[in-house]
Amino acid sequence: EPEVTQTPSHQVTQMGQEVILRCVPISNHLYFYWYRQILGQKVEFLVSFYNNEISEKSEIFDDQFSVERPDGSNFTLKIRSTKLEDSAMYFCASRAGTSGGTYNEQFFGPGTRLTVL
Amino acid sequence: GENVEQHPSTLSVQEGDSAVIKCTYSDSASNYFPWYKQELGKRPQLIIDIRSNVGEKKDQRIAVTLNKTAKHFSLHITETQPEDSAVYFCAARLMNRDDKIIFGKGTRLHILP
């Protein structure tokens, strides 16, 4: 069964450094998402992406964050200058387009644990 | 925007007993309510969902109920087993083009031997 994949599984970085988290969504999916989960807390929506542009972003997704689909397979999240509070698990998700008026399930990747020192 | 409240934050039940987790949501436009199970260090896994035009749905030992008027929905797990121990998240989703998922804060379920 196809799965969303993410790399790396764990990223350690120094405060102020740029990081890029990578995701490979399921191949026929059209909608892409990033969520984050601070340790012990709930999963929070960051951004949704469709047709090569951001559809919606949360207040967490400020100017330090950007997303890109550089080719037909990857979907990346960039944090330009990391802060200590960016330490979290970042989940990518994707879903297929609607079928018969039914919105499909979002499938989550395994996550990238980002540690900012 | 949507806000999802979830209770309790921690729940311990004897193996074989039932567990109930309750959630409320704020945006009456939300029309889809998934439940996720998350084991330590793993991704959230969808275990059951319910759409706003349905009041109840069951899948083996798991059932969900939805009260649209009160904006309440609940997860019921019967005959609990050790492998049910995990964190459970309720969520609300507006099934439009963007359909972000808004999660509750989670319930840590402990199944006691």
Side-chain angles (χ1 to χ4, degrees):
Chain A
E1 186 173 336
E3 287 190 331
V4 177
T5 59
Q6 290 184 243
T7 54
S9 57
H10 191 188
Q11 173 90 48
V12 181
T13 190
Q14 294 290 326
M15 189 170 57
Q17 293 297 304
E18 175 184 286
V19 294
I20 297 176
L21 309 183
R22 301 180 193 280
C23 168
V24 179
I26 295 172
S27 64
N28 62 342
H29 284 189
L30 301 176
Y31 298 84
F32 313 109
Y33 310 83
W34 283 100
Y35 294 84
R36 81 168 186 192
Q37 185 178 31
I38 295 171
L39 187 63
Q41 298 187 23
K42 67 177 177 180
V43 179
E44 300 174 288
F45 169 77
L46 292 179
V47 65
S48 58
F49 190 87
Y50 170 73
N51 200 26
N52 283 320
E53 61 182 20
I54 290 174
S55 304
E56 187 174 359
K57 57 185 180 180
S58 72
E59 59 187 24
I60 301 169
F61 194 91
D62 62 21
D63 292 346
Q64 293 301 310
F65 290 86
S66 63
V67 289
E68 193 177 32
R69 188 156 163 82
D71 52 42
S73 60
N74 290 284
F75 179 51
T76 61
L77 175 69
K78 182 193 290 186
I79 309 175
R80 288 190 184 82
S81 178
T82 50
K83 302 187 281 284
L84 295 177
E85 53 265 39
D86 293 328
S87 294
M89 181 75 94
Y90 288 80
F91 292 103
C92 172
S94 71
R95 74 166 174 90
T98 57
S99 51
T102 300
Y103 285 78
N104 295 297
E105 178 185 347
Q106 290 184 24
F107 289 86
F108 284 82
T112 292
R113 180 165 297 285
L114 177 64
T115 302
V116 182
L117 302 176
Chain B
E2 176 64 276
N3 183 49
V4 177
E5 297 289 337
Q6 182 171 350
H7 301 280
S9 56
T10 305
L11 178 61
S12 297
V13 300
Q14 290 294 137
E15 182 178 348
D17 287 351
S18 296
V20 180
I21 302 170
K22 298 185 178 184
C23 292
T24 60
Y25 62 100
S26 61
D27 187 350
S28 56
S30 291
N31 53 11
Y32 175 70
F33 306 92
W35 286 87
Y36 292 87
K37 176 181 180 183
Q38 187 179 35
E39 296 174 352
L40 190 62
K42 300 286 182 66
R43 75 190 87 189
Q45 297 271 21
L46 179 70
I47 56 172
I48 196 167
D49 55 25
I50 189 166
R51 296 176 193 270
S52 59
N53 58 349
V54 174
E56 185 173 352
K57 182 176 177 180
K58 189 172 181 181
D59 182 3
Q60 299 182 7
R61 297 188 296 109
I62 297 174
V64 290
T65 59
L66 171 66
N67 181 330
K68 276 177 54 180
T69 304
K71 293 188 231 169
H72 289 175
F73 57 117
S74 301
L75 176 73
H76 304 250
I77 306 174
T78 58
E79 300 171 18
T80 52
Q81 299 169 3
E83 55 265 35
D84 294 331
S85 292
V87 179
Y88 291 81
F89 292 95
C90 63
R93 181 177 161 192
L94 174 59
M95 306 268 281
N96 60 7
R97 196 191 77 169
D98 301 318
D99 78 328
K100 62 187 177 187
I101 300 173
I102 303 299
F103 288 82
K105 289 187 176 181
T107 296
R108 184 170 297 280
L109 177 63
H110 299 277
I111 305 302
L112 306 172

